[in-house]
Amino acid sequence: MKLVRFAKDEKISFGSLEDSKIQVIHGDIFGDFETTNEVYNLSEVKLLSPCTPSKIVCVGLNYRDHAEEMHDELPTEPIIFIKPSTAVIGPNENIKYPPMSRQVDYEAELGVVIKNRARNLEIEEVNKYVLGYTCFNDVTARDLQKKDGQWTRAKSFDTFAPFGPIIETDTNPSNLDIQLLLNGEIKQNSNTSKLIFSIEELISFISKIMTLLPGDLIATGTPSGVGPMNIGDKVEVKIENIGTLVNYIM
């Protein structure tokens, strides 16, 4: 199922997307829900971020090719950091270039949406706590990241966490093509089979540090090819079986 969150006539709803038609959902997508007979054309609504996470837990250096690109040794355990919920935007929204930065980079990533409250999970338990998968762009002020020596400021600006347009509940995330297109040109091109730590390993590891809540988002790392965006650019994260997240730099 392709879950979406959308606005129509100032009302925000969840729905199931199929062939450019959205079937409205009643209930809680993280619990019990049902699809209704109320249907909208995709063109009639504004898609929003497909959920509202309390936090976004990101993973650094989790693709072998990106670690090589950055001339870093492979990590022995996941390197994690958090983006605030205030950084979230949805598809077709604008990423705002902060005045204090001179280099804002794209980072295409597979996002994992948590379904149930999770704490101290073992690897074999993880899958029943996952709602589905989405496209994520870990927008980064690269110059500030280098200047600060840590990542909070560089990763946390408003609009620096675009994700969507859907949550795909029925796909195998271990072998998906992932691309980043800048103004139509492919800049990143890899596959989730190149992850250093699997999704199950990541979620188990994170859950032993902090409680994960329904709707929280795990961003699983970016492949090689990261680079800068400029004002006026169009950026797309494209992931096999999930779709394409489009945003614009303003």
Side-chain angles (χ1 to χ4, degrees), residues 4 27 47 53 66 78 84 103 128 138 146 175 199 220 236 244-245:
V4 294
L47 289 183
H66 183 46
Q103 183 180 342
K128 63 185 179 182
D138 178 17
K146 293 175 181 177
N175 186 21
I199 289 166
T220 57
E236 302 171 75
T244 303
L245 169 68

Side-chain angles (χ1 to χ4, degrees), residues 1-3 18 130-134 166-174 176 240-242:
M1 180 178 284
K2 293 175 169 55
L3 298 172
E18 187 71 34
V130 171
L131 177 64
Y133 306 92
T134 191
I166 69 164
I167 301 169
E168 174 57 71
T169 64
D170 185 23
T171 191
N172 182 347
S174 63
L176 299 176
E240 182 182 6
N241 294 345
I242 297 175

